Amino acid sequence: MYRASFTLISFVLAIDLTASGRSEGMKVKGLSQSGLDVRAAVEFLSTSPLSKLPLFLFGHSWGAYGIAASLNFTDRPLAIFPMSGFTEPFEVMTELVKSKVSLGVEMTEPALKAAMAKRDSEYAFLSGKQGIEKAQGVYCLLIHGDHDDTVVPRASLFHADYSRNGVEKYLMEGRGHGDVAASMESIAYIKQVKAANLPLYEAYKRNPSRMSPGERAEFASSFNKMLTYVPDEALFQRILDIADKLGQASSYATF
């Protein structure tokens, strides 16, 4: 299915961001927290027995912004793979508000900026785009769906202009925000499941938690979960090819 000649022992570290899962903290200070948490994870790896392994960062949405923003502090990764990422917190928040309220948004921007600066201090406007520009030696594969209406072009890492080499853009046609890495067959199957369960979907799409245990069990048994998110083979083969090439060429590969 996927081919990769990269033969080093590899590890995957999946992190819980601050105040999420098993991580400490009562709350996040803002969207910029993602970049700071990824920086902490990279610093941890750099002082661990895994420090000599090639490092690649992969993230989606808020996580995609986080791995790009972390490059403001480190150029340790050989490559990053941000999917559906946004450039910076203020841009994506402004665009999301505009999608809900068509008039008067510009009038609220100064107040929003002031509130973010007060809450998030020096990192309120930490930029993923600037991180990518700063880390000249880090290869970047920017992945985005052409139907993404959550991270719109003005706010996306994918649609930003870059003045450096080593930035590749990979457009996923027919994909949105949540299914950006899914195969078209998987997307078609999800549509089929929704159509078959349309009354249930319409009744609970705004509040799935209201579904009764019986309805939930019946719905779960009506489809094959393994088919609901089959990854796009060409995309992940491209990711593996990049990791293979950079990993084999890296000085970290000999230890």
Side-chain angles (χ1 to χ4, degrees):
M1 186 176 180
Y2 302 131
R3 177 194 56 78
S5 60
F6 194 48
T7 56
L8 286 177
I9 295 174
S10 60
F11 297 87
V12 175
L13 175 65
I15 63 172
D16 288 334
L17 299 181
T18 296
S20 301
R22 296 183 179 181
S23 288
E24 297 177 346
M26 297 300 294
K27 61 181 179 179
V28 297
K29 294 189 66 176
L31 293 177
S32 59
Q33 186 71 53
S34 177
L36 303 179
D37 286 355
V38 174
R39 175 182 69 168
V42 172
E43 289 175 349
F44 165 76
L45 288 173
S46 297
T47 58
S48 78
L50 305 179
S51 62
K52 292 185 178 181
L53 286 175
L55 177 63
F56 304 96
L57 301 180
F58 183 95
H60 173 255
S61 193
W62 189 28
Y65 157 75
I67 63 176
S70 74
L71 298 185
N72 285 285
F73 310 106
T74 178
D75 60 359
R76 168 70 174 81
L78 294 182
I80 65 169
F81 305 100
M83 297 196 311
S84 310
F86 53 88
T87 52
E88 60 140 303
F90 180 75
E91 287 287 349
V92 74
M93 289 177 66
T94 300
E95 291 304 315
L96 282 173
V97 172
K98 286 181 179 179
S99 69
K100 306 296 182 183
V101 182
S102 58
L103 299 175
V105 175
E106 289 78 8
M107 296 176 62
T108 67
E109 288 185 3
L112 177 59
K113 279 188 174 181
M116 289 176 62
K118 181 178 180 180
R119 183 187 63 183
D120 304 340
S121 65
E122 60 181 309
Y123 297 119
F125 306 101
L126 186 64
S127 170
K129 178 181 183 297
Q130 289 181 7
I132 290 174
E133 291 279 24
K134 184 176 180 181
Q136 295 285 321
V138 180
Y139 195 89
C140 303
L141 181 67
L142 305 177
I143 305 156
H144 207 78
D146 63 349
H147 290 174
D148 192 332
D149 56 5
T150 300
V151 178
V152 297
R154 182 187 166 190
S156 75
L157 287 170
F158 181 91
H159 289 90
D161 294 323
Y162 299 93
S163 60
R164 51 157 287 195
N165 295 323
V167 177
E168 178 184 352
K169 296 185 177 182
Y170 198 108
L171 184 65
M172 299 295 290
E173 296 183 357
R175 276 71 160 196
H177 188 73
D179 57 10
V180 63
S183 67
M184 291 305 296
E185 293 78 10
S186 181
I187 292 172
Y189 182 71
I190 292 173
K191 289 181 179 179
Q192 178 185 330
V193 170
K194 284 185 177 180
N197 295 275
L198 189 59
L200 199 63
Y201 177 74
E202 290 294 334
Y204 296 112
K205 65 181 179 181
R206 295 186 181 277
N207 193 354
S209 63
R210 290 176 51 217
M211 189 182 298
S212 70
E215 289 173 317
R216 191 180 300 276
E218 182 179 356
F219 175 65
S221 65
S222 70
F223 61 91
N224 186 336
K225 293 181 180 179
M226 295 298 294
L227 298 180
T228 60
Y229 206 97
V230 178
D232 183 83
E233 184 172 344
L235 169 63
F236 282 93
Q237 187 59 64
R238 180 61 189 148
I239 291 172
L240 287 173
D241 286 343
I242 292 171
D244 185 27
K245 181 178 179 180
L246 295 178
Q248 293 287 10
S250 169
S251 60
Y252 293 109
T254 56
F255 63 96

